[in-house]
Amino acid sequence: MVDSGIDSGSRTFPKQLDIAKTSVYGLSILSAGMFLFLPFFNLLHPSPWQRSLGTIHGVGALLAMVVAVYTGHLAFPLLRGSSKILPQMRTLTFWSSAIAFLGIATGNLVYMRYRAGIEFGGARAWLKENSPLVQYVLMEYHEFSVLFTLPLGVACTWILWQYGDSILEKQNRPVLTATCVALMAMMFYAMGGLVTGLGIAKVHAL
C-alpha cells in the first residue's frame, strides 16, 4: 500500500510541474507583451503630437532600453570570462548601438516639438514656468545621459570585433573589464533615460 501511494504520487508530480512551468512562462510572456505595448498608449492621448511623435519615440526608446539591458546583463558573465557568449555579445553590442541611434534620432524629433514656445503649447516652456525641478533635474539628466549610450555602444562594438576571441586572454583582461563596465553603464543610462522620459511625459505631454 505504501509503495503504490508513492508511485501514484510520483506520476502526478510531473503533471503538476508542467502546469507550473506553463503558468510561469505564460505570465512572463504576457507581462513582457504588456510592457512592450506601453508606447502605444500614446495613441489614446488627446494631443496629436503625443499620438504621433510620442508613439514613434516611445517605440524607439523602449527597444533601445530592452536591447541595452539584455546586453548589459550578459556583460556580467563575460566579465567572468565566459567564452560561450562572446559571439552573441559581438552581435548584441552592434544592435545595441544601432537601436540606441534610433532612440536618440526619434528623441531629437520629439525635442523640436518639446522646445516650442509657450504660445504653441511647448512642454519645456510650461515646465520652466510651472515645474522647474522637472526641467532642470529630470530633463537635463534625460537630455545628456541617454546620449552616452551611443558612443559607449560603438566603442564596445569596435573593441569586441577588433580583439575577437583574444579579448579573453590574460594580457587583455583590462580591456575586457573596461568593455564590460562600459556595457553595464550603457544599460543603466538606457534605463534611466526611459524612466525620466516617462516621468516628464507624465507631467506634461508634447
Side-chain angles (χ1 to χ4, degrees):
M1 294 295 291
V2 175
D3 291 339
S4 63
I6 293 174
D7 291 338
S8 62
S10 64
R11 284 194 298 269
T12 58
F13 181 72
K15 295 180 180 179
Q16 295 174 352
L17 184 62
D18 289 341
I19 294 172
K21 286 176 64 176
T22 302
S23 300
V24 169
Y25 284 126
L27 287 172
S28 300
I29 293 171
L30 180 62
S31 301
M34 292 178 66
F35 178 70
L36 293 174
F37 192 74
L38 186 62
F40 296 101
F41 282 101
N42 287 307
L43 296 173
L44 304 176
H45 201 277
S47 168
W49 298 102
Q50 193 68 34
R51 289 198 301 269
S52 55
L53 298 179
T55 302
I56 293 170
H57 179 52
V59 172
L62 187 64
L63 288 176
M65 192 275 294
V66 168
V67 179
V69 167
Y70 184 57
T71 307
H73 274 85
L74 288 182
F76 289 94
L78 182 63
L79 183 60
R80 294 195 296 267
S82 176
S83 59
K84 295 180 180 180
I85 63 170
L86 190 54
Q88 183 183 9
M89 288 298 291
R90 285 194 285 264
T91 304
L92 281 173
T93 51
F94 170 79
W95 284 111
S96 294
S97 305
I99 301 177
F101 174 77
L102 173 66
I104 293 171
T106 58
N108 280 310
L109 186 66
V110 167
Y111 194 62
M112 290 187 288
R113 168 62 191 173
Y114 177 83
R115 288 184 64 91
I118 190 74
E119 64 274 15
F120 300 106
R124 182 175 183 269
W126 186 93
L127 288 172
K128 287 176 68 175
E129 184 175 338
N130 296 279
S131 184
L133 281 178
V134 174
Q135 169 61 32
Y136 293 118
V137 177
L138 287 184
M139 189 57 193
E140 292 297 327
Y141 173 83
H142 179 79
E143 276 185 63
F144 297 106
S145 64
V146 293
L147 295 178
F148 287 111
T149 58
L150 184 57
L152 286 172
V154 171
C156 292
T157 301
W158 183 86
I159 290 171
L160 289 175
W161 283 91
Q162 179 71 19
Y163 279 82
D165 294 342
S166 66
I167 198 171
L168 297 174
E169 296 175 2
K170 187 176 180 180
Q171 65 270 21
N172 294 325
R173 184 71 186 180
V175 179
L176 176 65
T177 302
T179 304
C180 292
V181 171
L183 289 173
M184 295 173 197
M186 183 180 179
M187 172 181 67
F188 286 113
Y189 281 134
M191 292 170 58
L194 183 71
V195 171
T196 52
L198 287 173
I200 296 164
K202 186 176 180 61
V203 176
H204 195 287
L206 296 175

